[in-house]
Amino acid sequence: MSRLHQSRIADFQEVLGEPTVALTKLRELCFSGIPFDGGLRCLCWKILLNYLPLEKALWSSLLKKQRDLYSQFLKEMIIQPGIAKANLGVSREDVTLEDHPLNPNPDSRWNTYFKDNEVLLQIDKDVRRLYPDMAFFQRPTDYPCLLILDPQNEFETLRRRVEQTTLKSQTVARNRSGVTNVSSPLKTTPSSLNEYEVLPNGCEAHWEVVERILFIYAKLNPGIAYVQGMNEIVGPLYYTFATDPNSEWKEHAEADTFFCFTNLMAEIRDNFIKSLDDSQCGITYKMEKVYSTLKEKDVELYLKLQEQNIRPQFFAFRWLTLLLSQEFLLPDVIRIWDSLFADDKRFDFLLLVCCAMLTLIRDQLLEGDFTLNMRLLQDYPISDVHLILKKAKELQDSK
């Protein structure tokens, strides 16, 4: 381990060792990348995403409370409906059972169960394809959810729900038109990969945990529910927490990921809401902002893209909505997210990263025609994220 690396770890430990974490100092450190060692990244992300408070004395009680709450969600949204269905048989759709307290509609009937299945099928299809170039998501977790996998259970798990629903309906409607093309050319998977082996009873794969997180999020947030692409946001968070070298944290990766994902979505959910596309907080406004920033920094390149009618929707939609998670390999995405989460203006720095990505390939873009340039932007050629972040920082400092 290099001396520089050791001194960086020591800097982090010093800031995190105080009774109250100095957020400004922590942000500065994280912005330049967080070491994986000793679970530092997992801890810093939890603070940066407002899951853990700055007063360390509050951590253990808060974590206990949140993790218990998550177990409650599992019971109410996965286990109880499953028990109800096991007890009642499949055919009766009109049965009202005790509603879960988070449901705002007092007459909510169990036919929501069948509506939920549509959402579940879409989630299932998307999470099975998470990072197909890595074995991680197909592997069994070290801490399978005992609440759900207890062999004594007669109730229907999500896994069984998917199997039964798939048999009934082979079609899944797209959740949001226009987002169907969120996966980049790098990530296309042969269809054979969709038929993954299901692990034996008592085990579950990491993608199944991600599926549960997204399903519960959709249930608790009916206004947005599930939109394709959210799987790409939860994937890197879950991967980071589930590979934490500290086993006490790793064991609770599912609950912690759920709350960090919920907090992150609270900040970026407007990107996923179609009706807000043209408002100040919507995605169109942000895409235009990438171009207006580019115009300030490199007017020649800006005019070239305008002249070729290359609109930011063609590439920046995916870059911004998915926080670049589809453009780079997972370890690089995680490094970019260190800087994004550390940005106190939240995702302003992301706009600069997008600008940096454009200016770093300016020579190719200035020479290329429409087709060539679209290919460059849809399948970004530079893989060195340190170079990109350095350039973005230069753009930030040159304001």
Side-chain angles (χ1 to χ4, degrees):
M1 193 189 297
S2 74
R3 188 174 286 153
L4 176 67
H5 187 67
Q6 276 174 319
S7 79
R8 275 188 62 68
I9 292 176
D11 291 344
F12 274 92
Q13 284 168 339
E14 188 184 337
V15 172
L16 294 166
E18 295 293 323
T20 300
V21 176
L23 188 57
T24 314
K25 256 193 205 157
L26 185 70
R27 283 189 194 283
E28 271 170 34
L29 283 173
C30 295
F31 188 80
S32 314
I34 307 169
F36 173 75
D37 313 66
L40 284 174
R41 174 176 280 125
C42 311
L43 182 53
C44 291
W45 278 18
K46 288 177 177 115
I47 297 170
L48 295 174
L49 291 170
N50 302 318
Y51 178 43
L52 285 178
L54 298 176
E55 290 78 36
K56 279 176 69 175
L58 303 174
W59 286 1
S60 60
S61 61
L62 176 119
L63 288 169
K64 180 171 177 355
K65 189 175 121 243
Q66 296 301 85
R67 289 161 178 175
D68 289 349
L69 177 61
Y70 188 75
S71 294
Q72 208 41 48
F73 292 158
L74 289 176
K75 287 176 188 148
E76 285 162 11
M77 283 167 241
I78 293 177
I79 295 176
Q80 280 175 0
I83 291 173
K85 179 140 179 296
N87 293 348
L88 295 164
V90 182
S91 54
R92 298 193 51 194
E93 300 186 20
D94 57 347
V95 178
T96 308
L97 283 171
E98 185 184 343
D99 245 325
H100 67 73
L102 295 153
N103 195 326
N105 173 4
D107 315 316
S108 150
R109 296 187 172 272
W110 272 98
N111 61 15
T112 55
Y113 175 91
F114 296 96
K115 286 206 190 78
D116 289 345
N117 281 356
E118 288 170 32
V119 176
L120 179 59
L121 278 191
Q122 179 68 59
I123 293 173
D124 188 73
K125 207 161 128 215
D126 293 343
V127 293
R128 283 172 188 259
R129 295 187 296 219
L130 262 180
Y131 291 96
D133 47 345
M134 289 176 62
F136 172 80
F137 286 97
Q138 306 311 319
R139 286 204 187 113
T141 72
D142 295 340
Y143 300 100
C145 178
L146 300 176
L147 269 175
I148 285 173
L149 291 177
D150 178 355
Q152 302 302 305
N153 287 337
E154 284 303 306
F155 71 86
E156 185 188 46
T157 56
L158 289 188
R159 186 191 286 185
R160 254 181 259 159
R161 253 174 105 157
V162 170
E163 285 162 7
Q164 293 178 352
T165 313
T166 314
L167 293 174
K168 287 204 193 91
S169 68
Q170 292 296 330
T171 55
V172 180
R174 281 278 173 225
N175 195 313
R176 169 177 176 175
S177 59
V179 191
T180 42
N181 185 23
V182 287
S183 62
S184 72
L186 291 170
K187 303 284 192 303
T188 44
T189 55
S191 57
S192 62
L193 273 177
N194 296 340
E195 310 304 322
Y196 286 128
E197 298 286 301
V198 170
L199 294 167
N201 282 343
C203 299
E204 57 181 348
H206 287 293
W207 68 261
E208 293 186 84
V209 181
V210 175
E211 176 167 87
R212 247 195 326 266
I213 292 169
L214 287 166
F215 182 70
I216 289 178
Y217 179 82
K219 291 284 290 170
L220 290 175
N221 296 276
I224 182 172
Y226 172 74
V227 180
Q228 196 190 13
M230 288 180 183
N231 54 315
E232 306 292 351
I233 300 286
V234 82
L237 285 176
Y238 174 72
Y239 174 81
T240 300
F241 294 164
T243 54
D244 191 325
N246 180 339
S247 58
E248 290 109 274
W249 290 88
K250 183 176 172 177
E251 187 176 348
H252 298 285
E254 178 175 355
D256 293 347
T257 301
F258 172 80
F259 290 108
C260 288
F261 172 68
T262 301
N263 291 356
L264 179 55
M265 281 304 298
E267 299 186 38
I268 63 171
R269 60 181 284 170
D270 295 348
N271 295 345
F272 287 90
I273 299 177
K274 191 86 177 129
S275 58
L276 289 176
D277 276 1
D278 298 319
S279 69
Q280 284 282 300
C281 53
I283 186 70
T284 309
Y285 174 75
K286 293 185 182 118
M287 291 191 291
E288 296 302 337
K289 194 105 170 41
V290 171
Y291 265 25
S292 58
T293 312
L294 180 66
K295 189 178 176 181
E296 271 169 47
K297 306 287 184 191
D298 190 337
V299 73
E300 187 188 358
L301 180 55
Y302 166 78
L303 290 171
K304 171 77 177 183
L305 294 176
Q306 287 288 47
E307 171 202 318
Q308 290 189 346
N309 201 15
I310 293 182
R311 315 239 302 266
Q313 288 83 320
F314 300 158
F315 59 94
F317 177 82
R318 192 176 72 211
W319 291 7
L320 294 168
T321 307
L322 304 182
L323 306 181
L324 295 169
S325 62
Q326 286 274 288
E327 312 315 310
F328 302 99
L329 296 172
L330 186 58
D332 296 325
V333 171
I334 287 170
R335 169 61 194 93
I336 291 172
W337 284 17
D338 287 345
S339 296
L340 293 183
F341 296 165
D343 172 20
D344 60 343
K345 298 205 173 47
R346 270 328 196 211
F347 297 97
D348 278 11
F349 188 68
L350 177 59
L351 299 174
L352 293 169
V353 174
C354 295
C355 258
M357 286 168 69
L358 294 171
T359 54
L360 284 169
I361 55 170
R362 76 184 301 271
D363 296 348
Q364 289 156 278
L365 291 170
L366 290 172
E367 280 169 26
D369 60 7
F370 175 86
T371 315
L372 207 66
N373 286 346
M374 278 301 294
R375 196 173 304 143
L376 280 172
L377 295 168
Q378 287 280 331
D379 197 355
Y380 190 74
I382 297 178
S383 57
D384 180 354
V385 296
H386 297 280
L387 180 68
I388 294 166
L389 290 168
K390 186 166 167 258
K391 182 71 182 168
K393 184 80 181 88
E394 282 166 20
L395 293 175
Q396 187 180 49
D397 294 342
S398 70
K399 277 193 167 170

